[in-house]
Amino acid sequence: MTLDVSALDRPVQPGQFFHIRCSDNWKHPLRRPLSVYNYDHESHCLEFLYLVKGNGTQQMTLMRKGDTLSLLGPLGHGFTLPDQGALLLIARGVGVATLHALARQARSENMEVHVIMSARTPGDLLTVDTLSRLGATVYTVTDQEGTSSVESVRALSETLICEEGISAIYTCGSSRLGKLVQELAETYHLKGELATEAHMACGIGDCYACACTIRKGNQLKTVRVCTEGPVFPISQAVLQ
Amino acid sequence: MTLDVSALDRPVQPGQFFHIRCSDNWKHPLRRPLSVYNYDHESHCLEFLYLVKGNGTQQMTLMRKGDTLSLLGPLGHGFTLPDQGALLLIARGVGVATLHALARQARSENMEVHVIMSARTPGDLLTVDTLSRLGATVYTVTDQEGTSSVESVRALSETLICEEGISAIYTCGSSRLGKLVQELAETYHLKGELATEAHMACGIGDCYACACTIRKGNQLKTVRVCTEGPVFPISQAVLQ
Amino acid sequence: MTDLSVRIGSLTLKNPVMPASGTFGPELAPLLDINLLGAIVPKSITLSARGGNQTPRVCETDGGMINSIGIQSKGIEQYITHILPVYQDYDPPLIASISGESIVEFELLAARLDKQPGVAALELNISCPNLRDNGQAFGMSAETTDELLRTVRKVTGKPLIAKLTPNVTRIQDIAEAAERGGADALTVANTFLAMAIDTETRKPRIGNIMGGLSGAAVKPLIVRLIYQAHQATDLPIIGSGGIMNGQDAIEMILAGATAVQIGTATFVQPNAMNIITDEITDYLERHHIDQITDLIGQVDVS
Amino acid sequence: MTDLSVRIGSLTLKNPVMPASGTFGPELAPLLDINLLGAIVPKSITLSARGGNQTPRVCETDGGMINSIGIQSKGIEQYITHILPVYQDYDPPLIASISGESIVEFELLAARLDKQPGVAALELNISCPNLRDNGQAFGMSAETTDELLRTVRKVTGKPLIAKLTPNVTRIQDIAEAAERGGADALTVANTFLAMAIDTETRKPRIGNIMGGLSGAAVKPLIVRLIYQAHQATDLPIIGSGGIMNGQDAIEMILAGATAVQIGTATFVQPNAMNIITDEITDYLERHHIDQITDLIGQVDVS
Ligand SMILES: Cc1cc2nc3c(=O)[nH]c(=O)nc-3n(C[C@H](O)[C@H](O)[C@H](O)COP(=O)(O)OP(=O)(O)OC[C@H]3O[C@@H](n4cnc5c(N)ncnc54)[C@H](O)[C@@H]3O)c2cc1C
Ligand SMILES: Cc1cc2nc3c(=O)[nH]c(=O)nc-3n(C[C@H](O)[C@H](O)[C@H](O)COP(=O)(O)OP(=O)(O)OC[C@H]3O[C@@H](n4cnc5c(N)ncnc54)[C@H](O)[C@@H]3O)c2cc1C
Ligand SMILES: Cc1cc2nc3c(=O)[nH]c(=O)nc-3n(C[C@H](O)[C@H](O)[C@H](O)COP(=O)(O)O)c2cc1C
Ligand SMILES: Cc1cc2nc3c(=O)[nH]c(=O)nc-3n(C[C@H](O)[C@H](O)[C@H](O)COP(=O)(O)O)c2cc1C
Ligand code: FES
Ligand code: FES
């Protein structure tokens, strides 16, 4: 979905999200959070990539050209780029939406970007072409082909880390991959970031609906995904 | 609103109604009752005439050609025609919808029909032309012109009763006019009928939502408007 | 073959879907296949004739409705001679809902119906918010509930289903009292006491000022009440309140209901019960569940 | 000029619209004109720090939502040093919502805040369904309510607003107990204990199994509770639950509310409170009512 958001006067970072009133259907009052898939600062074009899951996303598919949408955002903290070196992005499913924005940003700063994209079937792999066109190197793994096990992804990642001068690693969409990224970041002393999800009410930090637990030093802390996140340093992530 | 109801296999009497699911809007679950304004047995065309009041009727205005509507009906007891003589119909506001169907039926049986139509302003007078075209004689009275007081309507009615051989008198849409018709029917020994309204849930006689009190002999009885009505002999009406 | 049958005390129903009292009548026959219901539940009957409450008796609220019918009835004798026979030719067992103004009236009603072969079970409406002042009901007190059940239990061997009110602080206490008193099952629950005001006329939108809220809006409250009652007693529970589709029915069964009653949905769509039964079957088949009883209370709270 | 001002005990508010505790924060400032509110009500504060409940903490239900935040808080000292100062520069008086795990904790909280000039009144959250086991709350017992109010009354001269729970058999009894205990006003009410189950995963849709239902779905129940509480006491009532627009607010005022709190509507539309205030003004002007106080409890039940 592409929107004209000319009223927007703030920069939009990859990893940030918008809180969206998908319809004025009284039955479904809450807004839904969607990551920025792409934002063009020049044309004020904002794009979302979303999976149709329940009523909210269903309602969004009914929108037609020219309709308007009530959005709050950009919200939350986005990704930060490394000072130098190449990026490794490991995305599963629709988690690629938010990493896509990161890839675009990194490419626009001429950083090298490698993307490992995981999905159930090859048909579920999203935006491979667009990423390639941006100049990212894309590796796809799927459950169906038996290539998506954590071990396979670990092997592939380690190869890339060793051979491609990766300095930062990012992930979204799977807690198993999140754990892997956490291990890789620690082992290889890489900058690492994780984009998280949580059910939200306000989206702006008032209601504490979106709590998640992070590790800061030796302490566990409860923070708000919408405000302190959705992107966290991978070292802080508490994943089970 | 005109509908093609080819599936309908029962005759439709003037005074009967349909119970309508105005939309699938979850916020407004109940059906709304609307009288038959016109039903063409040949073409299976069913017409309603309705006043936009709240959400249900509002939703109906949003329907477009080709949309379908869930209807229950025809429901309830309609009007009965006199064996002979002319009819006097006294309608206020959108009450004319149901009397219109009666006028059409009577005209198709070549009975003479006089209609006194009352409304707030001349702009609120509905279907005067269609009634005239059917061959009914229409007299309009309005609050704005100061011609709609019960006394004026009484005078006009009495003239018609005396001069036009009225044998039956029908009313809908105002309890003050209902009372008048009750008095006229008694005084002049006319057949009289009244179409009533009530808030309904089921529309078919199960829930007793639509109770109204009628007088049968010397006894007061509570009956269901949807099933025993909506048309009652005027002598049974209890009006305040 | 998916087995939809459930047991309510000694009564076996071929499926868990039945009408909620007060929302069903023989007039539905042309619109609904009554023989596909798990049970038939006519409108609550009182001992003597009652006229019912002032109009308007219903109003629509967001996602639901308020009713204050007040149990218009012609009394038990007319029920036996005129209402029961109407349902004789249908297959499903008939559950008679009775509503007394005192414990003695409940006793008399139960004793009278005990002799009727056409009555398979009794539902005790101890929860109508529209009979007494300001929505008071027998089912608001554990002691009264216990005593009422105990009294009625003595005069009939038919399965007794206590229909509880949701308008209480702890439904667990009332459920336990009903079980102690001898109930074979619980209906959870009757309507929620509610009010709506027309801001233009400033009048209550129900003639009787307050009435009972039903329909989709109350479902999350009913699911909670079923879950609580199921934790408190071993009695089979009939879930009632806000079921609009098969998924809603499954939700209540997972929370602890053995069967479900459908009310408001029938006003929206007269054949709703048939559709809901089909949707329950579809769900079971899709999830490869052979018997619906395997789902009862199976919410995963681990 | 239409006069929107109302009094809550000794406190005068310039209009009756304020946030519901737990749904408001300084983050709204760019989206809402906080200075146009009748009062500011931050999230309930507890004595010591609390982590809050398991996730998911919210889920959407038809026309509403269930929450089980469980009062995540950093404790009273951090509240005084960090939260209160944030609101110092806004005009509206601040009503501090406090939530203890015991009567003593309420006492300590009230005593501590009594000395804070930035606190205009205290709202006692004796009704949170998310703190104790299975939705239990102090406000479910008239005796506890009376004792709690009495204890807190002794340690502060600030207006005390008791926030009642709707999950009771007779709110009148609790309202009277709060009045006896020394409350200056009532908030009617907190959320309704509720539950929702995902039929695909069979898991509760709230981590804590049950939570509190808010939003449009509960409005007819809250209107009834306000009406009942208003009949039972002379205390000003703050209506809370399901207000989505100005008409809903007027409905509660007609039922007996003096002011209103807005929660879920703010999640839907962050400037909902400003819009609702405008809609109330429009209503008063259209009906030629000079003072909003002329509407309080004016439902026409004749
Ligand atoms: C920061 C953030 C960014 C996201 N970005 C994207 C994106 O770019 N593309 C995309 O397809 N999805 C994204 N999601 C997930 C997306 O928010 C959910 O898929 C969506 O809310 C589902 O709504 P629904 O009405 O279709 O589903 P329903 O299941 O009907 O939703 C019911 C309720 O649960 C909430 N909910 C359901 N699933 C999720 C979830 N995974 N996370 C948070 N709330 C949920 C909904 O918001 C709603 O309140 C993101 C989530 C978060 C927290
Ligand atoms: C037998 C019968 C025949 C009718 N025929 C016509 C007709 O031909 N043309 C026409 O314009 N109107 C007719 N009415 C009135 C019509 O039913 C109401 O105007 C309509 O229901 C209003 O619905 P709403 O959603 O627009 O209004 P809302 O005020 O939003 O309705 C809210 C609720 O109140 C009920 N309600 C409101 N007003 C009435 C009313 N006057 N009678 C019954 N229920 C009401 C609605 O059905 C709904 O359940 C008839 C009513 C009855 C009982
Ligand atoms: C119009 C109407 C009449 C009702 N009459 C009765 C009744 O006579 N006896 C009774 O026990 N419950 C009565 N109820 C309550 C229903 O049986 C049922 O418990 C309630 O409506 C909740 O279910 P629902 O949301 O599916 O409608 C009535 C409900 C409605 C809407
Ligand atoms: C996310 C959320 C958090 C809440 N937290 C509190 C709280 O901390 N203290 C309290 O007294 N009420 C709390 N409530 C209840 C609200 O203050 C309010 O009473 C309730 O939501 C009903 O109003 P509404 O329908 O306008 O939301 C909370 C409600 C929600 C939805
Ligand atoms: S969603 Fe409200 S604090 Fe994050
Ligand atoms: S509307 Fe149900 S009996 Fe008439």
Side-chain angles (χ1 to χ4, degrees):
Chain A
M1 167 173 288
T2 307
L3 295 116
D4 172 359
V5 288
S6 306
L8 193 67
D9 56 0
R10 276 184 289 173
V12 176
Q13 307 292 338
Q16 288 191 302
F17 70 96
F18 283 79
H19 210 30
I20 303 176
R21 181 111 177 85
C22 300
S23 73
D24 58 1
N25 185 338
W26 182 87
K27 190 175 171 187
H28 298 281
L30 292 184
R31 290 171 179 264
R32 269 73 170 147
L34 285 186
S35 307
V36 174
Y37 168 68
N38 185 30
Y39 178 60
D40 185 329
H41 291 261
E42 313 268 282
S43 65
H44 287 287
C45 254
L46 178 65
E47 285 177 73
F48 297 111
L49 173 71
Y50 63 92
L51 184 78
V52 177
K53 197 183 161 199
N55 184 277
T57 44
Q58 231 146 52
Q59 291 287 330
M60 282 180 63
T61 64
L62 301 180
M63 299 208 67
R64 293 174 216 180
K65 210 179 148 154
D67 286 353
T68 58
L69 200 62
S70 164
L71 303 171
L72 293 178
L75 299 170
H77 286 92
F79 295 104
T80 55
L81 290 177
D83 295 333
Q84 52 173 47
L87 282 68
L88 174 58
L89 280 44
I90 306 186
R92 170 120 180 138
V94 75
V96 72
T98 185
L99 291 181
H100 187 280
L102 174 65
R104 189 179 291 259
Q105 165 106 12
R107 288 301 302 142
S108 78
E109 301 189 12
N110 272 319
M111 293 176 142
E112 223 179 287
V113 176
H114 297 265
V115 184
I116 302 178
M117 212 186 287
S118 168
R120 268 200 307 131
T121 71
D124 294 329
L125 290 164
L126 298 166
T127 71
V128 178
D129 293 351
T130 350
L131 281 170
S132 305
R133 239 178 289 127
L134 287 172
T137 319
V138 183
Y139 314 82
T140 63
V141 299
T142 66
D143 304 355
Q144 191 174 304
E145 299 162 309
T147 50
S148 66
S149 73
V150 174
E151 284 324 303
S152 319
V153 177
R154 181 193 302 274
L156 175 54
S157 303
E158 290 186 327
T159 311
L160 291 171
I161 291 168
C162 298
E163 295 178 2
E164 303 286 350
I166 302 290
S167 70
I169 177 166
Y170 302 85
T171 187
C172 181
S174 151
S175 65
R176 278 165 58 227
L177 293 179
K179 254 199 151 78
L180 169 65
V181 167
Q182 198 169 39
E183 287 164 26
L184 292 173
E186 205 183 319
T187 311
Y188 297 94
H189 305 286
L190 305 175
K191 174 184 176 71
E193 288 180 343
L194 165 86
T196 54
E197 290 191 358
H199 285 238
M200 295 184 176
C202 72
I204 59 173
D206 287 336
C207 75
Y208 292 86
C210 61
C212 90
T213 306
I214 61 165
R215 185 179 293 110
K216 259 199 169 158
N218 287 326
Q219 287 212 310
L220 290 183
K221 260 189 75 172
T222 308
V223 295
R224 297 163 297 184
V225 168
C226 72
T227 315
E228 280 86 29
V231 175
F232 292 100
I234 190 77
S235 59
Q236 295 184 357
V238 179
L239 301 156
Q240 47 273 18
Chain B
M1 167 172 289
T2 307
L3 295 116
D4 172 0
V5 287
S6 306
L8 193 67
D9 57 0
R10 276 184 288 173
V12 176
Q13 306 292 338
Q16 287 190 303
F17 70 96
F18 283 79
H19 209 31
I20 303 176
R21 181 111 179 84
C22 299
S23 73
D24 58 1
N25 186 337
W26 182 85
K27 190 175 172 187
H28 298 281
L30 292 184
R31 289 172 179 265
R32 270 70 170 148
L34 286 186
S35 307
V36 174
Y37 168 68
N38 184 31
Y39 177 59
D40 185 329
H41 291 260
E42 313 268 283
S43 64
H44 287 287
C45 254
L46 179 65
E47 284 178 75
F48 297 110
L49 174 71
Y50 63 92
L51 184 77
V52 177
K53 198 183 159 198
N55 184 276
T57 43
Q58 232 146 50
Q59 291 288 329
M60 283 180 63
T61 63
L62 301 181
M63 298 207 68
R64 293 173 216 181
K65 209 179 148 153
D67 286 354
T68 58
L69 201 61
S70 164
L71 303 170
L72 293 178
L75 298 170
H77 286 94
F79 294 104
T80 55
L81 290 178
D83 295 333
Q84 53 172 45
L87 282 68
L88 174 57
L89 280 44
I90 306 186
R92 169 115 181 143
V94 75
V96 72
T98 186
L99 291 181
H100 187 280
L102 174 65
R104 188 178 291 257
Q105 165 106 12
R107 287 301 302 143
S108 78
E109 301 189 10
N110 273 318
M111 294 176 142
E112 222 180 287
V113 176
H114 298 265
V115 184
I116 302 178
M117 212 185 289
S118 168
R120 268 199 307 132
T121 71
D124 295 328
L125 290 164
L126 298 166
T127 71
V128 178
D129 292 351
T130 350
L131 280 170
S132 306
R133 239 177 289 126
L134 287 173
T137 320
V138 184
Y139 314 81
T140 64
V141 299
T142 66
D143 303 355
Q144 190 174 304
E145 299 163 310
T147 50
S148 65
S149 74
V150 174
E151 283 324 302
S152 318
V153 177
R154 182 194 302 273
L156 176 54
S157 304
E158 290 185 327
T159 311
L160 290 171
I161 290 168
C162 298
E163 294 179 2
E164 303 287 351
I166 302 289
S167 69
I169 178 167
Y170 302 86
T171 187
C172 182
S174 151
S175 65
R176 278 164 57 226
L177 293 179
K179 256 200 149 80
L180 169 65
V181 167
Q182 197 168 40
E183 287 163 27
L184 292 172
E186 204 182 321
T187 312
Y188 297 96
H189 306 285
L190 305 175
K191 174 186 178 69
E193 288 180 343
L194 165 87
T196 54
E197 290 192 359
H199 285 237
M200 295 185 177
C202 72
I204 59 173
D206 287 335
C207 75
Y208 291 87
C210 61
C212 91
T213 306
I214 61 165
R215 185 179 294 108
K216 259 199 167 156
N218 286 327
Q219 288 211 309
L220 289 182
K221 261 189 75 170
T222 309
V223 294
R224 297 163 297 184
V225 167
C226 72
T227 314
E228 280 86 29
V231 175
F232 292 100
I234 189 77
S235 59
Q236 296 184 356
V238 179
L239 302 156
Q240 48 272 17
Chain C
M1 259 301 289
T2 314
D3 180 5
L4 285 185
S5 70
V6 296
R7 289 177 64 87
I8 301 292
S10 58
L11 189 65
T12 300
L13 311 182
K14 69 168 171 274
N15 72 58
V17 179
M18 67 180 88
S21 179
T23 66
F24 177 82
E27 290 83 358
L28 279 167
L31 303 164
L32 171 83
D33 190 339
I34 294 178
N35 280 328
L36 295 182
L37 300 179
I40 288 169
V41 188
K43 170 124 192 109
S44 294
I45 182 69
T46 54
L47 195 61
S48 28
R50 282 181 62 93
N53 288 337
Q54 278 172 269
T55 57
R57 290 180 174 185
V58 290
C59 77
E60 188 177 71
T61 59
D62 292 355
M65 61 179 286
I66 303 178
N67 90 80
S68 168
I69 309 295
I71 310 201
Q72 174 163 348
S73 126
K74 295 193 171 142
I76 184 71
E77 295 310 324
Q78 197 263 359
Y79 186 80
I80 291 172
T81 53
H82 285 85
I83 310 281
L84 289 182
V86 170
Y87 296 107
Q88 222 156 32
D89 295 336
Y90 294 105
D91 302 336
L94 183 144
I95 300 175
S97 168
I98 62 175
S99 196
E101 287 178 49
S102 63
I103 294 186
V104 172
E105 284 199 8
F106 273 101
E107 187 182 11
L108 291 170
L109 284 163
R112 188 75 184 84
L113 289 175
D114 183 55
K115 303 185 197 75
Q116 295 299 322
V119 173
L122 296 178
E123 182 176 69
L124 311 181
N125 179 3
I126 59 173
S127 45
C128 183
N130 293 318
L131 284 180
R132 299 205 281 158
D133 281 354
N134 295 314
Q136 288 301 298
F138 294 104
M140 288 184 171
S141 148
E143 292 72 51
T144 313
T145 300
D146 182 341
E147 188 191 337
L148 196 152
L149 264 296
R150 210 170 285 279
T151 309
V152 174
R153 181 74 290 170
K154 290 204 189 100
V155 299
T156 179
K158 294 199 199 276
L160 290 181
I161 306 164
K163 184 164 181 180
L164 306 188
T165 169
N167 304 302
V168 293
T169 308
R170 279 180 49 84
I171 193 140
Q172 298 96 317
D173 298 343
I174 315 290
E176 283 165 9
E179 185 168 29
R180 261 199 321 276
D184 299 291
L186 306 172
T187 298
V188 176
N190 214 311
T191 49
F192 290 80
L193 194 61
M195 179 170 176
I197 302 170
D198 184 321
T199 52
E200 293 303 305
T201 64
R202 298 194 194 172
K203 283 198 203 306
R205 289 170 55 204
I206 285 286
N208 206 30
I209 305 179
M210 292 184 265
L213 183 66
S214 62
V218 307
K219 192 188 65 170
L221 305 177
I222 293 289
V223 171
R224 180 262 299 181
L225 289 162
I226 292 170
Y227 180 73
Q228 290 181 317
H230 187 62
Q231 287 189 305
T233 80
D234 293 327
L235 296 180
I237 292 168
I238 304 173
S240 171
I243 297 177
M244 293 287 137
N245 53 47
Q247 191 179 320
D248 296 338
I250 296 290
E251 190 176 355
M252 294 201 184
I253 292 168
L254 288 170
T258 293
V260 292
Q261 290 183 349
I262 315 294
T264 305
T266 296
F267 299 150
V268 179
Q269 194 52 44
N271 65 341
M273 285 187 278
N274 291 163
I275 298 172
I276 289 169
T277 312
D278 289 346
E279 288 172 348
I280 293 174
T281 307
D282 290 348
Y283 176 93
L284 295 176
E285 283 173 357
R286 191 157 54 77
H287 287 265
H288 309 291
I289 299 166
D290 295 334
Q291 311 177 42
I292 190 150
T293 49
D294 290 344
L295 272 188
I296 299 169
Q298 293 306 305
V299 54
D300 173 10
V301 296
S302 62
Chain D
M1 259 300 290
T2 314
D3 179 5
L4 285 184
S5 70
V6 296
R7 290 177 63 86
I8 302 292
S10 58
L11 189 66
T12 299
L13 311 182
K14 69 168 170 275
N15 72 59
V17 180
M18 66 181 87
S21 179
T23 65
F24 176 82
E27 290 83 358
L28 279 166
L31 302 163
L32 170 84
D33 190 339
I34 294 178
N35 280 328
L36 295 181
L37 301 179
I40 287 169
V41 188
K43 171 122 192 108
S44 294
I45 181 69
T46 54
L47 195 60
S48 27
R50 280 181 63 94
N53 288 334
Q54 279 173 270
T55 56
R57 290 180 174 185
V58 291
C59 76
E60 188 177 71
T61 59
D62 292 356
M65 62 180 285
I66 303 178
N67 90 79
S68 168
I69 310 295
I71 310 201
Q72 175 164 347
S73 126
K74 296 194 170 144
I76 183 71
E77 294 311 324
Q78 197 265 358
Y79 186 81
I80 291 172
T81 53
H82 285 86
I83 311 280
L84 289 181
V86 170
Y87 296 107
Q88 221 155 33
D89 295 336
Y90 294 105
D91 302 336
L94 182 144
I95 300 176
S97 169
I98 62 175
S99 195
E101 287 179 49
S102 63
I103 295 186
V104 172
E105 284 198 7
F106 272 101
E107 187 182 10
L108 291 170
L109 284 163
R112 189 75 185 81
L113 289 175
D114 184 55
K115 303 183 198 76
Q116 294 300 321
V119 173
L122 294 178
E123 183 176 69
L124 310 181
N125 178 3
I126 58 172
S127 45
C128 183
N130 293 318
L131 285 180
R132 298 205 282 159
D133 282 352
N134 294 315
Q136 289 300 299
F138 295 103
M140 288 185 171
S141 149
E143 292 73 50
T144 312
T145 301
D146 182 341
E147 189 190 336
L148 196 152
L149 263 297
R150 210 170 285 278
T151 310
V152 174
R153 181 74 293 168
K154 290 202 189 103
V155 299
T156 179
K158 294 199 198 277
L160 290 181
I161 305 164
K163 184 163 180 180
L164 306 188
T165 169
N167 304 301
V168 293
T169 308
R170 279 180 49 84
I171 193 141
Q172 299 95 316
D173 297 343
I174 315 290
E176 283 166 9
E179 185 168 30
R180 260 199 321 277
D184 299 291
L186 306 172
T187 298
V188 176
N190 213 310
T191 49
F192 289 81
L193 195 60
M195 179 170 176
I197 302 170
D198 183 321
T199 52
E200 294 302 305
T201 64
R202 298 194 194 172
K203 283 198 201 311
R205 288 170 58 204
I206 285 286
N208 205 30
I209 305 179
M210 292 185 265
L213 183 67
S214 62
V218 307
K219 191 187 66 170
L221 305 177
I222 293 289
V223 171
R224 179 263 298 181
L225 289 163
I226 292 170
Y227 181 74
Q228 290 182 317
H230 187 62
Q231 287 189 306
T233 80
D234 292 329
L235 296 180
I237 291 169
I238 305 172
S240 171
I243 297 178
M244 294 287 137
N245 53 48
Q247 190 178 321
D248 296 337
I250 296 289
E251 189 176 357
M252 294 201 184
I253 291 168
L254 288 169
T258 293
V260 293
Q261 290 183 350
I262 315 293
T264 306
T266 296
F267 299 150
V268 179
Q269 193 52 45
N271 64 341
M273 285 186 279
N274 291 163
I275 298 172
I276 289 169
T277 312
D278 289 346
E279 287 172 349
I280 293 174
T281 307
D282 290 348
Y283 176 93
L284 294 176
E285 283 173 358
R286 190 157 54 77
H287 288 264
H288 309 290
I289 298 165
D290 295 334
Q291 312 177 41
I292 190 149
T293 48
D294 289 344
L295 272 188
I296 298 169
Q298 292 307 304
V299 55
D300 173 9
V301 295
S302 62

